[in-house]
């Protein structure tokens, strides 16, 4: 009796479900007016390329041979575009450029439409980025190398140096006036760190501006709003040695060559002889201190102020106690006597007294060779004006602690190219 009841209930439920389905099917046909609904085939792999105030949508077309066109809507269907179906091969790619857009993230809806006007179900592509003035305003020109922005080479060419480019940087355009007074543009690729200008007109400025893409595959390259001006290009000009003069300040090493004759006095280090013979002691081309004890100092006058003293070259004697470690100090003053120091250069407080008197340490030179060959050293960046020089010799090639020798010294000032 129990078994019969259960079967009857299950059977009754099944009959109710069948009758309910039939009723719904009939109602659905009523809503469609008794017509069959046909949907056109959809495209696949829909995507986009970002652009500047535009975008390009692309997709693989549906193989449905009846599709005649596609319609694309955006701005809540306020805007649209019709595109003819030119291919039905899924291996092909259809591309549609949509221009005159604003800077925004768009949502596009795509329908396929067959020759009878039947549409596909909607296919949406969201968060389509369109770039514009706001994005452009945030772009900066590629930074130059602040430590070494440019160099005037020995052959008269100019090298411009840049820092590493941003990953989305494409190129930087260099704009300058050449020696024929023609404005020239050259590009430096993001993978390059320097560019050589062979025909830059001296005394003229160099401008540059950079281009970027929002991300890889973007439609457009976007340039910065404004060009930047490269730092003033400078070159080294040797200081005029005809203006130099000896000084004999308190505690200076004897500069008059008393022990070895007048031909070894201080002014021999600016006689201009950088040759092999210029290292010769017996040819009287060098300075030889007299009764010094290291560290030992000597001083001289460059003859005028130099606003950007940038380089020193030094050459030693071809033997013995040639200088291998020395400090270069500089000062500009209307009263050099007031800048004299009282402590001997061997005193631990010597450097502090130098600074208190207004001297600036321009370079602490340490040579790793025997000190004989010509060696060049860059001085500190952005030095104060300098007219008077003091060298403090701390070590010599033979390791002795007494007298020292220097064969030649030269200084170079930075001036506009």
């Amino acid at each position: 009796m129990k078994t019969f009841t259960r079967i009857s209930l299950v059977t009754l439920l099944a009959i109710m479900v069948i009758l309910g389905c039939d009723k719904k099917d009939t109602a659905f046909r009523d809503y469609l007016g008794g017509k069959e609904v046909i949907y056109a085939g959809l495209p696949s792999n829909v995507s986009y390329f970002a652009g500047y105030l535009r975008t390009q949508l692309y997709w693989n077309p549906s193989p449905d041979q009846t599709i005649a066109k596609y319609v694309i809507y955006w701005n809540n269907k306020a805007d649209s575009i019709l595109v003819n179906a030119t291919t039905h091969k899924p291996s092909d790619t259809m591309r549609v450029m949509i221009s005159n857009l604003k800077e925004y993230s768009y949502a596009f809806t795509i329908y396929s439409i067959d020759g009878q006007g039947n549409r596909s179900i909607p296919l949406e592509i969201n968060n389509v980025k369109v770039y514009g003035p706001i994005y452009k305003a945030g772009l900066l020109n590629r930074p130059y190398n602040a430590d070494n922005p440019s160099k005037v080479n020995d052959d008269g060419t100019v090298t411009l140096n840049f820092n590493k480019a941003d990953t989305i940087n494409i190129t930087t355009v260099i704009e300058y006036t050449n020696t024929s007074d023609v404005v020239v543009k050259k590009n430096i690729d993001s993978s390059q760190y320097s560019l050589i200008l062979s025909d830059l007109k001296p005394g003229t400025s160099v401008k540059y501006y950079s281009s970027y893409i929002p991300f890889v595959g973007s439609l457009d390259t976007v340039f910065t709003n404004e060009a930047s001006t490269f730092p003033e290009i400078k070159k080294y000009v040797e200081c005029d040695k005809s203006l130099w003069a000896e000084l004999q300040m308190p505690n200076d090493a004897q500069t008059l060559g008393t022990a070895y004759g007048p031909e070894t006095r201080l002014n021999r280090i600016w006689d201009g002889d950088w040759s092999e013979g210029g290292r010769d002691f017996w040819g009287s081309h060098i300075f030889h201190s007299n009764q010094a004890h290291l560290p030992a100092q000597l001083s001289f006058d460059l003859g005028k102020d130099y606003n950007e003293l940038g380089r020193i070259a030094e050459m030693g004697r071809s033997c013995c106690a040639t200088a291998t470690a020395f400090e270069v100090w500089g000062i500009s003053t209307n009263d050099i006597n007031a800048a004299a120091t009282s402590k001997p250069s061997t005193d631990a407080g010597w450097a502090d007294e130098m600074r208190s008197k207004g001297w600036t340490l321009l370079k602490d030179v340490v040579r790793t060779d025997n000190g004989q060959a010509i060696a060049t050293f860059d001085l500190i960046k952005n030095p104060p004006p300098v007219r008077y020089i003091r060298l403090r010799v701390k070590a010599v090639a033979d390791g002795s602690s007494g007298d020292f020798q220097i064969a030649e010294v030269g200084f170079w000032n930075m001036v506009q190219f």
Side-chain angles (χ1 to χ4, degrees):
M1 189 69 179
K2 291 181 181 179
T3 302
F4 173 78
T5 302
R6 286 177 184 152
I7 293 173
S8 297
L9 288 172
V10 170
T11 303
L12 179 62
L13 287 172
I15 292 169
M16 291 175 66
V17 168
I18 293 171
L19 291 174
C21 290
D22 288 345
K23 185 175 182 180
K24 287 179 181 177
D25 284 345
T26 304
F28 188 58
R29 283 197 298 270
D30 291 340
Y31 285 126
L32 296 176
K35 296 180 180 179
E36 182 181 7
V37 177
I38 300 175
Y39 291 101
L42 283 171
S44 59
N45 302 319
V46 179
S47 192
Y48 74 99
F49 289 121
Y52 190 82
L53 301 181
R54 63 177 185 165
T55 189
Q56 185 182 70
L57 305 183
Y58 63 91
W59 61 82
N60 299 124
S62 168
D64 184 349
Q65 298 292 318
T66 66
I67 294 175
K69 54 191 174 184
Y70 299 89
V71 63
I72 303 169
Y73 293 99
W74 67 96
N75 286 339
N76 293 320
K77 292 191 175 181
D79 296 296
S80 64
I81 187 173
L82 277 172
V83 183
N84 290 328
T86 56
T87 176
H88 300 94
K89 294 180 180 179
S91 59
D92 289 344
T93 301
M94 287 196 63
R95 303 177 189 274
V96 180
M97 188 73 70
I98 303 176
S99 303
N100 300 317
L101 299 176
K102 294 182 179 180
E103 189 166 10
Y104 190 65
S105 290
Y106 285 86
F108 291 91
T109 304
I110 303 173
Y111 291 92
S112 304
I113 303 176
D114 65 18
Q116 302 301 315
N118 297 307
R119 297 199 311 182
S120 66
I121 60 174
L123 180 62
E124 291 189 352
I125 175 169
N126 297 309
N127 297 317
V128 176
K129 303 283 188 182
V130 175
Y131 295 87
I134 297 175
Y135 170 77
K136 185 174 183 178
L139 298 178
L140 300 175
N141 290 314
R142 181 179 177 179
Y144 58 81
N145 185 331
D147 293 330
N148 183 27
S150 62
K151 178 185 178 183
V152 179
N153 305 307
D154 293 338
D155 60 1
T157 61
V158 175
T159 300
L160 306 180
N161 298 313
F162 287 85
N163 287 341
K164 183 178 181 181
D166 191 284
T167 54
I168 59 172
N169 174 253
I170 299 299
T171 188
T172 296
V173 180
I174 310 298
E175 185 176 299
Y176 67 97
T177 302
N178 68 10
T179 50
S180 299
D181 284 326
V182 176
V183 176
V184 178
K185 293 182 180 181
K186 290 187 176 180
N187 294 342
I188 177 171
D189 187 81
S190 60
S191 62
Q192 298 173 293
Y193 285 82
S194 62
L195 179 70
I196 295 177
L197 306 181
S198 61
D199 55 353
L200 174 64
K201 182 179 179 179
T204 60
S205 62
V206 175
K207 296 184 180 296
Y208 64 99
Y209 47 95
S210 300
S211 64
Y212 297 85
I213 55 172
F215 56 82
V216 176
S218 298
L219 283 175
D220 300 305
T221 299
V222 184
F223 283 88
T224 53
N225 276 329
E226 296 181 356
S228 296
T229 301
F230 214 78
E232 184 180 52
I233 296 172
K234 299 180 179 180
K235 64 178 180 179
Y236 288 108
V237 175
E238 188 172 5
C239 299
D240 184 359
K241 291 182 176 180
S242 69
L243 303 177
W244 296 16
E246 297 175 344
L247 291 176
Q248 186 70 58
M249 301 186 73
N251 298 311
D252 276 3
Q254 178 56 252
T255 63
L256 302 179
T258 305
Y260 299 96
E263 294 306 312
T264 60
R265 63 188 296 158
L266 180 59
N267 63 13
R268 291 298 178 265
I269 71 173
W270 57 81
D271 63 9
D273 191 352
W274 294 94
S275 68
E276 190 74 26
R279 302 193 191 116
D280 181 22
F281 169 76
W282 305 108
S284 302
H285 292 286
I286 74 164
F287 164 73
H288 196 303
S289 66
N290 180 25
Q291 299 179 352
H293 189 279
L294 301 184
Q297 69 192 48
L298 54 84
S299 311
F300 54 94
D301 179 4
L302 297 179
K304 68 174 187 178
D305 281 344
Y306 290 96
N307 291 325
E308 200 166 346
L309 206 64
R311 179 174 289 176
I312 180 176
E314 187 266 343
M315 182 176 75
R317 180 189 173 184
S318 57
C319 172
C320 313
T322 189
T324 55
F326 56 91
E327 296 170 355
V328 184
W329 294 76
I331 193 173
S332 173
T333 176
N334 293 325
D335 184 1
I336 187 59
N337 293 321
T341 51
S342 60
K343 296 181 185 296
S345 55
T346 55
D347 192 287
W350 182 87
D352 288 338
E353 186 184 15
M354 285 284 286
R355 292 187 178 92
S356 72
K357 292 288 187 174
W359 292 83
T360 298
L361 179 61
L362 302 175
K363 185 69 177 181
D364 190 354
V365 175
V366 177
R367 297 189 57 158
T368 57
D369 60 356
N370 60 11
Q372 296 179 17
I374 300 171
T376 302
F377 306 93
D378 289 338
L379 305 180
I380 62 172
K381 300 286 186 182
N382 303 313
V386 172
R387 172 170 176 170
Y388 300 98
I389 294 292
R390 174 167 284 177
L391 302 182
R392 184 194 192 200
V393 178
K394 299 187 290 186
V396 294
D398 65 5
S400 63
S401 59
D403 285 326
F404 63 93
Q405 297 108 48
I406 297 175
E408 191 73 20
V409 169
F411 282 92
W412 281 258
N413 188 49
M414 296 286 285
V415 299
Q416 184 180 10
F417 173 71

